[in-house]
Amino acid sequence: MALAVKAFPLTVVSHVVGIVAVILVLVWTIHFRGGLAWEAVNKNLIFNIHPFLMLLGLIVIGGEAIISYKSLPLRKEVKKVIHLVLHGVALVLGIVGIIAAFKNHNESGIANLYSLHSWIGIGVISLYALQWVYGFVTFFYPGGSADLRRVSLPWHVVFGLTVYILAVGNSALGFLEKLTFLESSGIPKYGTEAFLVNFTAITTIIFGVFVIFSVISQPCAQPEDDHGAYSAI
């Protein structure tokens, strides 16, 4: 199934919305929450790394990895490398973002892994890593047999989109959880920061929606010599 529209305009919207989402989370963590730091007396600065890197990594760069593979008018092997590298960067940033959350909790005396957001988050990063490793071994190096790649490709796509949708949904859950804590600590429920956090979550969801739209839209034309069998590098 494919939408009767080219992927390119949808990916342009995705790029813009992704940039807006990153700017919004930076405004929130720096202007309202005091900044980002790996070592700080104020442990909240350590936590601020978590939402920034999770959104930048798993959501935005991970989404860019998905839409770049569909929309770029490049040879398949080039798109495969771009797809692989962007997902690898997203995975590393996601892991560092999760470490930042654990570091904040440990140094602040807060329990770990007590919320639904944290449970889903561990599941998402584990599945993301599994997907990346399987994709690397099967489609990149050393590369599986032609039959294995042919059978694996649709499952790779479906599994990858499932993990991505879970990541987007869990990011919204994370924004909700953090905002609930902040409001219980005294920030106005209808104040500027509360609206900013909610709008950031909505922007993140919109970005995810356009990533999915891009996947099910018509691909850009590929070079003439690139319509052959799917091969490993």
Side-chain angles (χ1 to χ4, degrees), residues 53-64 66 87 89-95 98 121 124-125 128 164 167-168 207:
L53 288 187
M54 301 312 290
L55 189 144
L56 176 64
L58 291 190
I59 307 302
V60 175
I61 296 180
E64 291 291 340
I66 294 171
H87 272 311
V89 172
L91 178 60
V92 170
L93 292 179
I95 291 172
I98 289 177
V124 166
I125 200 70
Y128 204 109
Y164 184 72
V168 172
F207 175 77

Side-chain angles (χ1 to χ4, degrees), residues 136-215:
F136 183 93
V137 173
T138 304
F139 300 108
F140 191 76
Y141 184 83
S145 66
D147 286 341
L148 177 61
R149 294 195 304 272
R150 183 168 55 252
V151 172
S152 296
L153 185 57
W155 288 104
H156 181 71
V157 172
V158 170
F159 187 78
L161 288 178
T162 300
V163 174
Y164 184 72
I165 291 170
L166 286 172
V168 172
N170 199 44
S171 71
L173 189 61
F175 283 120
L176 172 62
E177 180 181 294
K178 183 61 176 179
L179 182 57
T180 301
F181 289 156
L182 291 174
E183 288 175 345
S184 66
S185 298
I187 76 163
K189 288 181 171 58
Y190 296 99
T192 303
E193 183 175 1
F195 279 110
L196 175 63
V197 174
N198 283 334
F199 192 70
T200 303
I202 292 172
T203 304
T204 302
I205 293 171
I206 292 173
F207 175 77
V209 168
F210 272 93
V211 168
I212 302 302
F213 282 170
S214 299
V215 171

Side-chain angles (χ1 to χ4, degrees), residues 7-123:
F8 180 74
L10 296 174
T11 60
V12 170
V13 175
S14 299
H15 298 326
V16 173
V17 175
I19 292 171
V20 171
V22 172
I23 292 173
L24 289 177
V25 79
L26 280 174
V27 171
W28 176 44
T29 54
I30 295 175
H31 179 70
F32 287 95
R33 295 288 98 204
L36 303 92
W38 192 256
E39 298 290 345
V41 175
N42 181 359
K43 303 307 178 183
N44 290 326
L45 303 187
I46 300 174
F47 177 83
N48 291 343
I49 296 173
H50 175 71
F52 171 63
L53 288 187
M54 301 312 290
L55 189 144
L56 176 64
L58 291 190
I59 307 302
V60 175
I61 296 180
E64 291 291 340
I66 294 171
I67 63 180
S68 66
Y69 199 95
K70 184 67 180 282
S71 65
L72 293 176
L74 302 172
R75 292 187 305 107
K76 184 178 295 181
E77 304 306 331
V78 175
K79 292 192 292 185
K80 189 192 303 184
V81 173
I82 294 172
H83 181 75
L84 176 78
V85 170
L86 288 179
H87 272 311
V89 172
L91 178 60
V92 170
L93 292 179
I95 291 172
V96 175
I98 289 177
I99 292 173
F102 275 95
K103 179 177 172 65
N104 164 258
H105 282 202
N106 292 337
E107 295 185 10
S108 303
I110 301 173
N112 289 308
L113 300 176
Y114 62 87
S115 67
L116 178 62
H117 171 68
S118 63
W119 289 9
I120 296 176
I122 293 298

Side-chain angles (χ1 to χ4, degrees), residues 211-228:
V211 168
I212 302 302
F213 282 170
S214 299
V215 171
I216 62 175
S217 61
Q218 301 291 333
C220 292
Q222 298 184 115
E224 283 296 321
D225 63 350
D226 198 42
H227 292 279

